Amino acid sequence: MSLAIVNARLLDPATELDSPGAIYIEKGKIKEIRLGEDAAFPDAKETRDAGGLCLAPGLIDLRVKTGEPGAEHKETLETASRAALAGGITSFVVMPGTRPVIDDVALLQFISDRARKTAKARVYAAGALTVGLAGEAMAELGLLAEAGAILFTNGDIPVANAQVMKRAMAYAAANGALVMSRPDERALTGSGVMNAGALAARIGLSGIPVEAEWIGAMRDVTLAEQTGCRLVLDQVSTPRTLEIAAAARARGAKVYTTAAAHAFFFNERDVGDYLTYCKVNPPFRDEETRQGLILALKDGEIDAVVSAHDPQPPEEKRLPFGEAAFGAAGLETVLSALLSLHHDGPLTLLEALAPVTIGPASILGLPQGRLAEGAPADLILLNPGKPWLCEREDLLSRSTNSPFDGRRLQGRVMKTFVGGELVFER
Amino acid sequence: MAAARPDYTFNHEHLLGIEGLHPLDINHILDLADSYAEKTRAGKRPDPVLTGMTVVNLFFENSTRTMSSFEIAARRLGADVVSMPVANSSVKKGETLIDTAMTLNAMKPDALVVRHSASGGAKLLSRKVDCAVINAGDGTHEHPTQALLDLLTIRRVKGRIEGLKVVICGDIAHSRVARSTTQALHLMGARVHLCGPKTLTPPGTDTWGAESATSDFDKALKGADVVMMLRLQLERMNGSFLPSQREYFRYFGLTQARLALAKPNATVMHPGPMNRGVEIESSVADGSSSVITQQVEMGVAVREAVLHLLAGSRK
């Protein structure tokens, strides 16, 4: 089985390639890349004309929550995979906060089995850092890693006890395991529901202050430095947190950062009339902070952009703002959120794609996420200028609580390939 | 004070907050409320403008005072009133606010008076029902009828609102009264100064229309025409917000001595219920400057006016 995709604009942030060309796929992998407008592979059994569209690596998403197991009414691996592929995401990492929590080998194997049977995207499982995400006892990190856990995290619930965190990081470091943590000092976050500040005070909502993130980040990077643990600071929402990470990196710590795609698109004002679709954690910050994040992304200070996909059914969102669940569906809007930064000027196409391709691939040590000979043929055909109206009823995710609902966006995935197989077509 | 215009009509569907009201709207409500207050004082029954209409009081938080005030107002105007203190009902057993709203909506009321612990609760409900919704307090957001009754009380005592210096003191951060009253006073041309401990004074009060926010009560009181004390939730007293009731009273309690820093004829207000000896000295609360009881009286009049304008216009 061989496939040639010709007449494409090849985009690869890993090598800064932006050129007309063609790709030859064999046995699910990229066999050869030829540059030039007339590049072709006459020997291929099948040839697809890209019609001049962009051919880029499929996206890799480090943070996806599914309801499976335990809350399949929110999302299953199958529905998450379908939505991911429609959004151009060909690989994603499932968070361990399922019911029950992914804190033992059997659960990890369940996720792998279900994904193999039902999902066409590549699904990786994150193991819980602590048993039951309770923050008290470390999970079986070694056994989970052996069974395939790609990283370890306590998900949305930071480990409050610094001693437990330190020991878990030390243990993970000895095993070469990657730890991901949400920097969040919960004593400061309290019962906050949106960005702390004048707007929250005026509309009578309790705020989540930026310093909760800074203090959480300072603790975790300090522990990473002390233990030698590779650490991902998950969903950073302010430039100062990135500075904390950069300072630690300058001292030799192995610290990476991610940010949620919606954090570049929305600010706190989008909460508007208590729109619960805009209730996410970390919350949408003020405009100055959002602009700062965009500049940091441009400067390469953010290693990966995540969907932070956290689907919530209507009964969790059709509530007063303070009582509604945090979280937004994000798999189908990551790329458009990033492309808006390209269309608005600050980012080149390659800069917009880097944090969802080679960025996360490098953190996880995966071979995909690049247009390289021998790499898995996980690819997207993208029309970066195509306008579309995001309407939640059209989303493929099982829960369609999107802050992008009703927004006009630009840039759409037209075809998605996993291992050379066409798995989504628009 | 903004003058009424002949082409003016009150065209609001709901009263969810002071935000969104024009000074002309506020004047219109206050004028109507004033006439209701006068009628009541004269021992006359108002015209039964709400005869045949149903007003539902939906209180997710307990508040005997406000619920009674709305109930009396609606009955005086001839409406059938159903008061539902739902704090312990099915809503607490898993039914969402929207489910409750839709159930009530099916019963075709003409007005819903809503109190809810969540900011934005009344707004959310207003999107789901066909009748007028009156916000009787949503979380720490707004309490518009309280603001209007405060304004009516001030207007009657002082003869005007414009140009007055009003000091609002206490737990600003958690007070929906502070938010609504500050906005309303600002709209009507008063100069509002907020005062409270730093831990209970949120950022951005200038966006509500306040001229200043300070922790120096003595300084704030200088030249004040009106001093409005806010209720302090005692459960916060020994938490991390404040050291103690004793210390709070020392710096933010309204005493006779402190009141002397304001203008000689300064008016003292409090939305109630009061914590005597914590926010306010008894002699001040019961003294000649206090209009606290009058605020309660004006509350009924304002609610009559609001129900008249919102439910009555749907007849």
Side-chain angles (χ1 to χ4, degrees):
Chain A
M1 173 63 196
S2 64
L3 167 68
I5 302 174
V6 300
N7 188 23
R9 178 181 169 190
L10 303 182
L11 293 171
D12 183 23
T15 53
E16 297 189 354
L17 172 70
D18 181 353
S19 161
I23 274 186
Y24 183 70
I25 298 162
E26 198 175 70
K27 292 178 184 166
K29 292 187 175 172
I30 298 171
K31 176 90 171 166
E32 193 180 341
I33 299 167
R34 288 181 185 167
L35 303 183
E37 282 179 10
D38 301 324
F41 295 96
D43 296 340
K45 285 194 176 147
E46 186 189 349
T47 298
R48 284 179 178 269
D49 189 326
L53 293 179
C54 297
L55 186 64
L59 279 58
I60 301 167
D61 189 352
L62 291 181
R63 189 181 224 284
V64 171
K65 285 170 81 174
T66 66
E68 188 174 7
E72 284 82 357
H73 64 292
K74 291 185 177 183
E75 192 84 286
T76 62
L77 291 166
E78 183 185 8
T79 55
S81 165
R82 208 169 53 196
L85 296 172
I89 295 165
T90 48
S91 302
F92 62 82
V93 180
V94 172
M95 291 293 100
T98 47
R99 290 195 303 244
V101 168
I102 307 175
D103 61 2
D104 73 21
V105 170
L107 253 296
L108 198 88
Q109 284 170 344
F110 170 82
I111 296 285
S112 303
D113 289 348
R114 288 292 295 167
R116 202 167 31 249
K117 285 175 187 155
T118 64
K120 288 185 173 168
R122 296 183 200 272
V123 178
Y124 299 87
L129 192 60
T130 63
V131 175
L133 303 179
E136 289 164 6
M138 87 174 81
E140 293 173 334
L141 305 186
L143 294 175
L144 285 163
E146 223 174 82
I150 199 158
L151 57 84
F152 294 94
T153 176
N154 232 47
D156 296 326
I157 313 161
V159 177
N161 185 320
Q163 181 68 279
V164 173
M165 188 67 176
K166 183 182 171 187
R167 286 180 182 152
M169 286 169 93
Y171 195 87
N175 284 279
L178 180 68
V179 170
M180 183 159 90
S181 83
R182 256 300 310 286
D184 185 9
E185 172 48 64
R186 283 291 170 104
L188 285 168
T189 298
S191 56
V193 293
M194 71 171 286
N195 185 45
L199 181 65
R202 188 161 67 79
I203 66 175
L205 294 177
S206 51
I208 300 174
V210 285
E211 57 268 28
E213 180 173 300
W214 300 340
I215 290 170
M218 281 190 276
R219 185 197 74 164
D220 288 350
V221 299
T222 302
L223 295 177
E225 276 185 86
Q226 291 303 107
T227 58
C229 178
R230 291 194 303 131
L231 175 71
V232 182
L233 284 182
D234 179 25
Q235 292 186 84
V236 169
S237 69
T238 77
R240 183 159 160 180
T241 317
L242 296 168
E243 288 170 20
I244 292 165
R249 257 199 305 256
R251 292 189 296 267
K254 296 164 203 148
V255 176
Y256 310 98
T257 55
T258 75
H262 49 225
F264 300 100
F265 199 93
F266 297 99
N267 70 24
E268 61 180 352
R269 299 208 161 269
D270 288 298
V271 166
D273 268 343
Y274 305 97
L275 298 179
T276 55
Y277 285 170
C278 289
K279 183 176 176 181
V280 293
N281 194 1
F284 299 149
R285 301 294 187 184
D286 63 24
E287 179 59 13
E288 191 184 348
T289 305
R290 184 183 82 95
Q291 292 294 341
L293 268 192
I294 292 170
L295 288 179
L297 186 63
K298 167 95 182 156
D299 291 345
E301 292 168 31
I302 297 168
D303 299 293
V305 168
V306 297
S307 71
H309 183 69
D310 189 359
Q312 300 292 345
E315 62 268 25
E316 300 289 334
K317 283 290 189 185
R318 290 171 72 232
L319 295 168
F321 197 90
E323 296 169 9
F326 286 105
L331 288 166
E332 291 164 80
T333 46
V334 172
L335 197 55
S336 293
L338 285 168
L339 288 174
S340 75
L341 303 179
H342 165 62
H343 294 301
D344 291 347
L347 263 61
T348 65
L349 253 183
L350 288 177
E351 285 168 341
L353 289 171
V356 281
T357 54
I358 190 62
S362 302
I363 294 172
L364 296 177
L366 294 175
Q368 60 264 38
R370 68 205 84 200
L371 299 185
E373 287 168 11
D378 296 356
L379 304 165
I380 54 171
L381 266 180
L382 165 72
N383 181 345
K386 186 177 175 64
W388 63 290
L389 177 64
C390 179
E391 289 183 290
R392 64 188 192 89
E393 51 269 28
D394 296 337
L395 296 175
L396 299 177
S397 173
R398 180 162 283 180
S399 294
T400 55
N401 53 305
S402 170
F404 291 92
D405 181 36
R407 300 265 177 172
R408 292 189 183 282
L409 299 168
Q410 212 178 344
R412 276 214 117 169
V413 170
M414 306 311 290
K415 287 184 173 62
T416 305
F417 301 86
V418 173
E421 185 190 343
L422 181 68
V423 287
F424 174 80
E425 189 169 17
R426 181 162 273 122
Chain B
M1 199 183 297
R5 292 197 319 230
D7 58 346
Y8 168 81
T9 47
F10 185 86
N11 59 2
H12 296 270
E13 272 185 74
H14 310 289
L15 180 67
L16 301 175
I18 294 299
E19 192 171 347
L21 291 183
H22 188 276
L24 286 170
D25 298 321
I26 294 179
N27 258 336
H28 188 63
I29 297 169
L30 297 187
D31 290 346
L32 187 57
D34 208 42
S35 70
Y36 277 124
E38 284 307 314
K39 270 194 179 136
T40 304
R41 283 198 173 179
K44 292 181 191 162
R45 296 289 292 182
D47 294 337
V49 292
L50 300 187
T51 300
M53 308 191 87
T54 305
V55 174
V56 176
N57 281 333
L58 190 59
F59 276 55
F60 293 84
E61 271 186 347
N62 294 323
S63 170
T64 311
R65 295 160 61 105
T66 307
M67 194 160 77
S68 306
S69 182
F70 270 106
E71 190 166 332
I72 291 166
R75 284 194 199 287
R76 277 191 189 159
L77 300 182
D80 297 319
V81 184
V82 182
S83 285
M84 300 172 63
V86 286
N88 301 310
S89 75
S90 59
V91 178
K92 292 280 171 189
K93 296 171 195 152
E95 185 173 278
T96 70
L97 177 60
I98 291 175
D99 292 336
T100 309
M102 289 162 88
T103 304
L104 282 171
N105 197 43
M107 299 177 193
K108 308 288 180 204
D110 297 286
L112 276 179
V113 178
V114 184
R115 168 164 289 194
H116 199 276
S117 58
S119 300
K123 174 101 186 175
L124 178 66
L125 205 139
S126 73
R127 292 195 192 111
K128 304 291 173 187
V129 297
D130 304 319
C131 64
V133 173
I134 297 163
N135 181 6
D138 63 326
T140 51
H141 180 221
E142 285 231 40
H143 191 354
T145 55
Q146 176 70 40
L148 292 165
L149 76 86
D150 288 339
L151 263 63
L152 181 60
T153 308
I154 293 172
R155 202 174 81 169
R156 286 174 69 98
V157 173
K158 297 288 185 191
R160 67 190 168 101
I161 294 169
E162 192 173 1
L164 295 178
K165 177 179 179 181
V166 183
V167 176
I168 302 177
C169 177
D171 181 357
I172 309 292
H174 301 99
S175 173
R176 50 197 173 207
V177 177
R179 280 167 183 76
S180 286
T181 303
T182 303
Q183 286 184 72
L185 284 167
H186 174 68
L187 270 178
M188 302 311 286
R191 296 175 291 121
V192 185
H193 296 261
L194 299 175
C195 177
K198 187 71 183 162
T199 47
L200 295 173
T201 312
T205 50
D206 55 326
T207 64
W208 314 358
E211 278 192 13
S212 75
T214 177
S215 296
D216 188 337
F217 195 19
D218 290 353
K219 197 172 153 192
L221 279 171
K222 281 180 187 143
D225 296 286
V226 178
V227 185
M228 192 180 293
M229 303 306 292
L230 297 176
R231 195 179 82 80
L232 194 69
Q233 290 163 38
L234 288 176
E235 62 272 20
R236 298 186 196 286
M237 292 300 298
N238 296 316
S240 54
F241 287 99
L242 298 165
S244 69
Q245 294 187 32
R246 191 173 69 151
E247 182 161 327
Y248 181 80
F249 186 67
R250 167 74 180 74
Y251 295 108
F252 300 99
L254 188 62
T255 59
Q256 290 287 2
R258 196 164 258 145
L259 183 60
L261 296 169
K263 278 191 182 165
N265 60 345
T267 299
V268 173
M269 303 176 77
H270 193 300
M274 284 180 284
N275 296 305
R276 290 168 184 261
V278 178
E279 299 131 15
I280 191 163
E281 205 170 61
S282 268
S283 65
V284 177
D286 302 330
S288 58
S289 306
S290 168
V291 293
I292 293 167
T293 315
Q294 213 183 120
Q295 284 176 270
V296 179
E297 183 191 351
M298 291 309 123
V300 176
V302 156
R303 284 152 189 149
E304 283 177 274
V306 167
L307 285 166
H308 178 165
L309 289 170
L310 291 173
S313 66
R314 292 173 177 247
K315 243 183 176 178

